[in-house]
């Protein structure tokens, strides 16, 4: 499976390889992540730098390199891998333990403050990197180290031993993958045990409350996505993984309840999560402020992981694929600058002109953060993205994401190559061609927003599950409907009442100050209900043009009696251009908004 360069997914992968990975590697050095390892073995005199979980930045970067090796076969980073894996090996204790914050700074806290120390979180990332490297490059040196650490955790916290869970879920999904990779069932048992133990108040919660760590209620009884958003979503990925391996229905039932909570009541239009800066947390149902959205990049990545596992669980693949698509083309696309070396940590849907920069929520993308979880997380996701495009069953090949790609068709479905040629979502035409001897049984997802889809010009309707089934031989062209559309929010979302957003295909659009005439403030621009939207695709991603109204605020001040007019009466029209949210903030620090007030 190879992504091509005509569409964004393939271009993001190329940018990741050309710019992002080297940028990460140089920041691992300058931010002290590698020195943290060296100081444990006396090879650096520098003090510990970064957050307690800084080791995970290295492991995520190794994972990104691993998936890039599997994509392109590059050996460009082989000697870097040799060096850093050898460094980790020297830092690792004979017991298997390796975690530089504990070893170098707080040995007394080893496994003693699991709510904060992130030891198992770091191990989770180490495992994921190690499995990726063995799969991608056939090198198992990191895997040997990761297994030694995992075995230590198993000896200490495995069945019949001490009860312990990590304050930050992540190890659960990693352990299931380690089980899949090694066929050692005890890793699956350990993952399941950690899920069973959660929700019984094992963590000493301090002022945050147990829900911050999802330790307030047993997983199988949980009703709401709550607390720290990344933790909840990684946990859900792990729970779904355990269900996929054990088949336990109660876990999947709980995940359906969680899914509805997170996606039907707490997800931003852009596929972002976490409406509170405080505790980096989910808000209440329908609490979705655009300007104060925290919307951490890692939360959308975690949700991609979870959604993919829900898709594999089999019940409603189109729903999960469409969610992944929303996240990739909006929140996650916007989280990286065109340069591939600057990143957003928080992804609000509105930037006011005078909004100050906060830590983790700056006005502009930054090359790095003191809490640097997001940049390497993006890199590993982009490097791995081809894995999310298609699946196969005994019966058919299912195309979940529309992406320029070449897909190796499994032998039992006829072998050969399915070529998907498309500029989607810049263009709705998806050309499918298959070179096998017999027709390929293909299921292609038709997105819910595509109201008039055609195949070779003839109207088509998907089956009830959202997939169009065809027997493909030779070439055919599916055309998805990219007519721009208005979107409203549920009436309970107070922050969005009286506002509309523009969407085109899977993309959410926004308006930036830089596209408005001089003297027009973005926050004074309003739109008429149902105003006509015109797509313009001169070059690059299509823009949407429309007519708006510039409202001159009345002199009544911030609050006034309802009968007092809110405008000074000299409203005027203005030409408005909307661009994909994915590319906002690439032309300087300018005001931006997704939701436009209706006049
Ligand atoms: O705690 C590890 C990571 O740091 C979390 O996932 C992010 O939200 C950030 O707090
Ligand atoms: Zn993050």
């Amino acid at each position: 499976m190879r992504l091509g360069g005509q569409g964004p997914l393939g271009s993001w992968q190329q940018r990741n390889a050309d710019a992002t990975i080297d940028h990460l590697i140089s920041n691992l050095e300058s931010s002290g992540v590698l020195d943290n390892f060296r100081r444990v073995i006396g090879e650096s005199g520098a003090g510990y730098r970064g957050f307690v979980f800084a080791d995970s930045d290295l492991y995520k970067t190794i994972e990104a390199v691993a998936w890039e090796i599997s994509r392109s076969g590059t050996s460009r980073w082989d000697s870097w891998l040799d060096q850093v894996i050898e460094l980790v090996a020297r830092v690792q204790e004979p017991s298997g333990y390796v975690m530089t914050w504990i070893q170098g700074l707080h040995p007394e806290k080893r496994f003693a403050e699991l709510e904060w120390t992130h030891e198992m979180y770091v191990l989770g990332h180490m495992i994921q990197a190690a499995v990726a490297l063995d799969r991608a490059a056939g090198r198992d040196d990191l895997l040997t180290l990761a297994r030694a650490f995992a075995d230590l955790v198993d000896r200490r916290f495995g069945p019949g031993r001490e009860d312990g869970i990590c304050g930050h879920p992540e190890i659960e999904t990693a352990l299931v993958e380690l089980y899949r990779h090694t066929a050692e069932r005890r890793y699956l048992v350990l993952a399941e045990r950690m899920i069973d133990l959660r929700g019984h108040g094992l963590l000493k919660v301090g002022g945050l409350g147990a829900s911050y760590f999802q330790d307030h209620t047993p997983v199988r009884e949980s009703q709401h996505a709550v607390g720290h958003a990344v933790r909840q979503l990684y946990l859900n990925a792990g729970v779904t993984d355990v269900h996929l391996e054990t088949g336990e229905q109660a876990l999947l039932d709980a995940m359906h309840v969680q899914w509805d909570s997170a996606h039907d009541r707490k997800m931003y239009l852009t596929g972002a999560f976490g409406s509170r800066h405080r505790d980096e947390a989910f808000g209440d149902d329908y609490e979705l402020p655009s300007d104060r959205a925290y919307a951490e990049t890692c939360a959308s990545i975690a949700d991609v992981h979870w959604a993919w596992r829900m898709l594999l669980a089999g019940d409603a693949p189109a729903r999960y694929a469409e969610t992944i698509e929303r996240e990739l083309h909006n929140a996650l696309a916007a989280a990286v600058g065109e340069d591939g070396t600057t990143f957003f940590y928080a992804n609000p849907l509105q930037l006011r002109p005078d909004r100050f920069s906060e830590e983790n929520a700056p006005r502009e993308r930054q090359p790095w953060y003191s809490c640097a979880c997001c940049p390497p997380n993006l890199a590993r996701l982009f490097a791995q993205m081809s894995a999310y495009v298609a699946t196969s069953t005994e019966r058919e090949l299912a195309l979940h994401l529309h992406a320029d790609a070449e897909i190796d068709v499994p032998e039992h479905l006829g072998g050969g190559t399915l070529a998907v040629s498309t500029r989607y979502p810049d263009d709705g035409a998806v050309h499918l061609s298959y070179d096998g001897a017999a027709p390929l049984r293909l299921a292609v997802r038709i997105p819910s927003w595509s109201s008039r889809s055609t195949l070779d010009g003839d109207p088509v309707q998907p089956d009830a599950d959202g997939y169009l089934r065809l027997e493909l031989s030779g070439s055919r062209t599916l055309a998805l409907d990219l007519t721009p559309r208005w979107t409203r929010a549920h009436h309970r979302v107070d922050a969005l009442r009286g506002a509309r957003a523009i969407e085109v295909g899977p993309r959410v659009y926004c308006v930036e100050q830089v596209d408005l005439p001089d003297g027009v403030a973005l926050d004074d621009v309003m739109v008429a209900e149902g105003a006509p939207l015109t797509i313009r695709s001169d070059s690059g991603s299509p823009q949407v043009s429309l007519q708006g109204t510039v409202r001159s605020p009345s002199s009544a001040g911030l609050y006034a009696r309802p009968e007092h007019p809110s405008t000074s009466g000299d409203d005027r029209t203005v030409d408005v251009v909307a661009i994909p949210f994915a590319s906002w903030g690439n032309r300087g620090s300018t005001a931006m908004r997704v939701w436009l007030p209706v006049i």
Side-chain angles (χ1 to χ4, degrees):
M1 164 71 207
R2 294 155 298 281
L3 286 167
Q6 277 197 88
L9 273 61
S11 325
W12 295 338
Q13 283 200 321
Q14 197 56 48
R15 181 184 65 196
N16 203 41
D18 292 344
T20 308
I21 291 177
D22 281 335
H23 174 80
L24 300 179
I25 288 175
S26 107
N27 275 278
L28 290 175
E29 202 57 80
S30 58
S31 68
V33 170
L34 294 175
D35 268 349
N36 291 341
F37 282 85
R38 295 184 188 113
R39 71 189 289 278
V40 174
I41 47 176
E43 293 179 7
S44 165
Y48 183 92
R49 282 186 284 163
F51 281 69
V52 50
F53 47 83
D55 295 4
S56 61
D57 298 339
L58 170 64
Y59 297 132
K60 286 186 218 172
T61 304
I62 294 176
E63 187 180 342
V65 170
W67 296 128
E68 178 53 28
I69 291 173
S70 93
R71 183 185 84 97
S72 62
T74 180
S75 53
R76 203 164 122 208
W77 293 291
D78 283 4
S79 69
W80 179 78
L81 286 171
D82 293 345
Q83 287 166 36
V84 294
I85 294 171
E86 195 253 347
L87 178 61
V88 174
R90 285 188 291 125
V91 173
Q92 187 168 44
E93 297 174 3
S95 66
Y97 193 90
V98 53
M99 208 284 201
T100 66
W101 188 82
I102 294 282
Q103 290 170 282
L105 215 52
H106 287 290
E108 78 286 0
K109 293 188 195 280
R110 180 174 305 201
F111 295 135
E113 292 182 14
L114 290 176
E115 43 282 328
W116 297 117
T117 55
H118 285 70
E119 287 152 287
M120 297 191 204
Y121 167 90
V122 166
L123 170 58
H125 282 297
M126 185 185 190
I127 291 171
Q128 288 173 331
V131 168
L133 207 51
D134 197 27
R135 281 197 187 138
R139 65 181 290 174
D140 63 1
D141 43 359
L142 188 62
L143 186 63
T144 305
L145 309 183
R147 285 187 69 167
F149 194 2
D151 291 347
L152 171 68
V153 169
D154 188 35
R155 286 197 298 278
R156 173 127 185 188
F157 297 103
R161 311 223 172 77
E162 198 176 326
D163 289 348
I165 57 172
C166 187
H168 197 312
E170 152 68 20
I171 190 169
E172 300 81 358
T173 184
L175 282 170
V176 178
E177 206 59 40
L178 187 59
Y179 156 67
R180 291 183 182 126
H181 192 65
T182 61
E184 287 267 11
R185 200 166 177 84
R186 65 203 160 88
Y187 297 131
L188 174 63
V189 171
L190 185 58
E192 193 173 17
R193 173 168 160 75
M194 287 177 176
I195 285 164
D196 293 347
L197 288 175
R198 203 160 206 99
H200 298 282
L202 270 181
L203 299 169
K204 296 189 261 334
V205 294
L208 289 166
S211 61
Y212 174 83
F213 310 92
Q214 297 77 41
D215 196 29
H216 59 299
T217 186
V219 165
R220 293 170 184 78
E221 295 161 27
S222 69
Q223 296 290 314
H224 306 284
V226 292
H228 185 274
V230 183
R231 290 171 207 243
Q232 176 75 75
L233 296 167
Y234 275 153
L235 173 64
N236 293 355
V239 171
T240 310
D241 263 331
V242 170
H243 158 77
L244 286 167
E245 297 306 324
T246 64
E248 187 191 330
Q249 188 59 37
L251 289 180
L252 186 60
D253 293 345
M255 288 302 96
H256 283 138
V257 174
Q258 274 284 328
W259 182 273
D260 293 349
S261 168
H263 298 84
D264 291 352
R265 300 187 291 280
K266 299 192 179 192
M267 182 180 77
Y268 282 97
L269 185 64
T270 51
F273 301 86
S275 38
R276 295 186 185 168
H277 284 231
R278 181 167 176 156
D279 302 343
E280 309 186 298
F282 279 109
D284 293 334
D285 285 353
Y286 305 108
E287 179 189 337
L288 292 164
S290 293
D291 49 356
R292 294 297 297 161
Y294 193 64
E296 183 182 341
T297 298
C298 285
S300 293
I301 295 171
D303 199 67
V304 169
H305 293 185
W306 179 30
W308 182 249
R309 287 155 178 78
M310 292 297 279
L311 183 153
L312 295 177
D315 55 344
R319 183 179 189 198
Y320 305 117
E322 197 156 314
T323 302
I324 291 173
E325 180 171 60
R326 178 173 291 281
E327 293 163 344
L328 290 181
H329 286 296
N330 297 290
L332 294 170
V336 194
E338 280 170 349
D339 48 23
T341 56
T342 51
F343 312 90
F344 278 132
Y345 184 121
N347 295 277
L349 285 76
Q350 178 182 3
L351 185 71
R352 294 184 189 280
D354 48 356
R355 150 90 182 266
F356 56 95
S357 275
E358 301 174 63
E359 193 187 7
N360 297 344
R363 290 186 63 88
E364 292 175 86
R365 297 178 184 88
Q366 301 295 308
W368 201 248
Y369 291 85
S370 55
C371 174
C373 48
C374 302
N377 218 1
L378 280 164
R380 70 180 185 138
L381 177 85
F382 287 134
Q384 195 185 9
M385 219 158 28
S386 53
Y388 297 113
V389 171
T391 56
S392 63
T393 61
E394 279 309 302
R395 203 177 65 245
E396 64 191 11
L397 189 125
L399 198 57
H400 304 295
L401 298 183
H402 310 286
D404 194 52
E406 283 187 346
I407 300 167
D408 298 325
V409 176
E411 286 306 320
H412 72 272
L413 294 173
T417 304
L418 168 67
V420 184
S421 169
T422 181
R423 291 176 52 243
Y424 177 92
D426 284 353
D427 190 295
V430 181
H431 308 287
L432 305 161
S433 67
Y434 178 55
D435 61 4
L440 170 65
R441 288 191 301 280
L442 185 63
V444 187
R445 184 174 61 85
I446 304 294
S448 62
W449 43 257
S450 181
S451 22
R452 288 181 306 276
S453 315
T454 60
L455 188 64
D456 294 334
D458 298 326
V460 283
Q461 286 293 337
D463 294 345
D465 67 355
Y467 286 74
L468 175 71
R469 291 193 162 72
L470 56 144
E471 305 257 319
L472 180 68
S473 54
S475 300
R476 310 200 70 176
T477 296
L478 174 71
L480 299 171
D481 183 357
L482 294 186
T483 307
R485 61 192 191 274
W486 286 107
T487 298
R488 63 156 178 79
H490 190 285
H491 69 272
R492 289 189 186 173
V493 187
D494 294 82
L496 302 180
R497 194 166 298 131
R500 300 287 180 267
I502 298 166
E503 294 185 272
V504 182
R507 280 180 175 146
V508 174
Y509 273 57
C510 67
V511 179
E512 284 194 297
Q513 178 68 54
V514 69
D515 288 319
L516 290 170
D518 286 349
V520 174
L522 176 57
D523 289 344
D524 291 334
V525 172
M526 305 184 79
V527 292
E529 182 74 270
L533 300 171
T534 309
I535 195 105
R536 294 189 346 198
S537 358
D538 314 334
S539 66
S541 298
Q543 301 182 336
V544 172
S545 44
L546 62 149
Q547 280 228 314
T549 298
V550 187
R551 166 141 298 183
S552 308
S554 80
S555 54
L558 189 54
Y559 305 107
R561 297 175 71 96
E563 61 274 19
H564 195 291
S566 62
T567 168
S568 56
D570 52 355
D571 290 358
R572 60 202 162 95
T573 58
V574 61
D575 291 330
V576 176
V577 170
I579 64 161
F581 177 78
S583 45
W584 88 273
N586 281 306
R587 295 171 295 169
S589 173
T590 173
M592 176 279 295
R593 57 191 307 154
V594 165
W595 291 93
L596 304 169
V598 172
I599 199 155

